[in-house]
Amino acid sequence: MSETPRIGLALSGGGFRATAFGLGCLRALHDRDLLKHVRVVSGISGGSLLAAMWAYGPRGFVDFDASVVGLLRSGIQEELVRRTFTPWAMARNVGSAVSAGTNRQPRSRTRTDSLVAALQARPFGQRTLPEVSHTDLATVISATDMTSGNAVRFGSQVSSCSPYGEITNPVTVAEAVAASAAYPVLLPALTRDYTFRDRSGKASNRRVVMTDGGVYDNLGLSPLMPGRSPLHTDHVYDLDYLIAADAGPGRSERTAARFWPSRIKQTFEITHGKTQDASRARIHLAGETRQVRGFVHAYLGMNDRNLPVPVPDLVSRDAVERYPTNFASMTDTALSAISVRAEQLTRVLLSHYCPDLG
């Protein structure tokens, strides 16, 4: 372990709910003067948006905070609709769909490209992945490769997909975030052609079809976990502490579905939930076996009674757990409730489980 703490920060998926929850977590870390010790930030979907706005946005925290709040208040769903239904975009998307149906190939252009354009219209989205605003900060933004079922990890140090190798093309932040945020129910997969270089140095061109990184790992913890081997992945980081901002809604009692569309949806939710439970168990195991010096798991959906100490005026889980997974504009009430709960949880868990962090 180093004398100066090396922190890995994971920002989960979950649309704007995750962006707002992660913002509260970052506020708590900023108040403790700990953001300067974050060596790598990993983001998924809504968490990848926040990670990108922090890592590639303004250096000052106040300006960064204001930019995130402004985006959450305005939303981007209406902008996506406007960009998707321009005559040029519609013609391009229809032509791509017809070509894909004829050639039995993935669609080269979809409305997810409107998300790329919306993000590229903002300063942070125009940067390429190595152009991080903060010294000694690495980034990992994850999507899911539909062909191999593996993660595509875009990062400031390296971008790669383990079956294919390292991506040699320059990739913009907007493209990486859009791939990570292409939630299958709302947005089609994003298709891109990349040149890969494998470990032997051989180059190959591949068309990669990418969907939401949460399909593979919705918490963003995988690339930060201890014990990863450089023989099998390009993303290996030496970290002392792990902090996860997990915007999952938690367990709730559901009514058993009666018809097949609802049964399929419910089955997916159960399977996805169990996968995320396994990832949560891994971070707890890493802490219990002292593979890391400490960890904090700020979980939006945690049972309030499970907190190690009571929190005065805690924003309850019931007040935030039903907020939808989308990118629509947030009301000030919802934004405040979600972000304040994240601040409260992060502060109390830091104090209890990582008192040496101050």
Side-chain angles (χ1 to χ4, degrees):
M1 298 293 185
S2 62
E3 292 183 5
T4 301
R6 299 168 299 186
I7 299 172
L9 176 61
L11 303 173
S12 83
F16 270 179
R17 183 181 70 217
T19 307
F21 189 78
L23 177 62
C25 178
L26 262 67
R27 285 172 175 171
L29 296 176
H30 172 70
D31 290 345
R32 294 285 184 92
D33 197 27
L34 291 176
L35 285 180
K36 66 184 180 184
H37 297 306
V38 175
R39 291 293 167 261
V40 56
V41 58
S42 169
I44 303 289
S45 190
S48 74
L49 176 61
L50 180 66
M53 295 184 75
W54 175 51
Y56 298 96
R59 290 177 180 269
F61 190 84
V62 173
D63 292 336
F64 153 73
D65 192 305
S67 69
V68 177
V69 170
L71 181 62
L72 292 173
R73 284 174 172 168
S74 63
I76 54 176
Q77 283 195 180
E78 291 184 4
E79 181 179 350
L80 294 184
V81 171
R82 291 195 301 271
R83 288 180 178 275
T84 299
F85 290 101
T86 62
W88 165 245
M90 288 181 65
R92 183 187 60 188
N93 292 344
V94 169
S96 175
V98 171
S99 177
T102 303
N103 301 323
R104 296 185 179 181
Q105 295 291 325
R107 293 169 61 185
S108 60
R109 295 288 172 178
T110 68
R111 61 181 180 275
T112 305
D113 286 280
S114 298
L115 177 57
V116 177
L119 296 174
Q120 282 181 335
R122 294 161 169 85
F124 74 90
Q126 297 168 12
R127 294 191 175 194
T128 57
L129 290 167
E131 298 177 304
V132 181
S133 301
H134 307 281
T135 305
D136 297 328
L137 176 66
T139 60
V140 183
I141 295 172
S142 300
T144 304
D145 173 31
M146 296 287 285
T147 303
S148 69
N150 288 81
V152 182
R153 302 204 190 277
F154 298 100
S156 55
Q157 296 180 354
V158 62
S159 297
S160 62
C161 183
S162 58
Y164 313 137
E166 178 183 342
I167 297 173
T168 61
N169 313 73
V171 179
T172 64
V173 174
E175 188 173 296
V177 173
S180 181
Y183 184 56
V185 176
L186 301 175
L187 292 169
L190 186 71
T191 302
R192 288 292 184 269
D193 294 321
Y194 294 130
T195 300
F196 290 89
R197 183 174 57 242
D198 64 21
R199 293 182 182 274
S200 69
K202 181 180 179 182
S204 63
N205 297 319
R206 288 184 177 272
R207 174 160 291 185
V208 185
V209 182
M210 298 170 288
T211 192
D212 191 332
V215 174
Y216 186 86
D217 166 27
N218 197 48
L219 302 185
L221 277 170
S222 294
L224 308 185
M225 294 300 291
R228 289 167 62 84
S229 170
L231 297 176
H232 305 294
T233 176
D234 294 307
H235 295 275
V236 179
Y237 305 96
D238 292 324
L239 301 168
D240 304 320
Y241 296 88
L242 297 178
I243 298 175
D246 180 355
R251 299 284 181 141
S252 60
E253 189 171 334
R254 55 170 64 88
T255 302
R258 297 172 56 195
F259 302 103
W260 76 265
S262 299
R263 287 199 304 272
I264 294 297
K265 179 177 180 292
Q266 209 167 79
T267 300
F268 172 80
E269 290 174 346
I270 293 171
T271 303
H272 187 262
K274 295 300 291 183
T275 302
Q276 305 318 310
D277 286 346
S279 295
R280 294 181 183 109
R282 287 181 63 198
I283 186 176
H284 286 269
L285 180 62
E288 292 169 1
T289 56
R290 305 300 293 174
Q291 298 176 60
V292 290
R293 187 181 296 179
F295 73 95
V296 167
H297 179 205
Y299 182 22
L300 179 144
M302 75 174 297
N303 192 316
D304 296 347
R305 295 190 300 272
N306 292 341
L307 279 170
V309 294
V311 178
D313 302 320
L314 175 68
V315 176
S316 69
R317 181 179 78 169
D318 293 342
V320 297
E321 65 177 343
R322 293 180 178 83
Y323 193 85
T325 302
N326 59 32
F327 293 103
S329 59
M330 295 186 77
T331 65
D332 287 341
T333 300
L335 171 55
S336 176
I338 293 172
S339 59
V340 169
R341 178 171 171 82
E343 286 187 73
Q344 293 172 320
L345 295 179
T346 304
R347 288 194 179 105
V348 70
L349 295 175
L350 271 172
S351 297
H352 187 79
Y353 293 114
C354 301
D356 49 335
L357 285 179

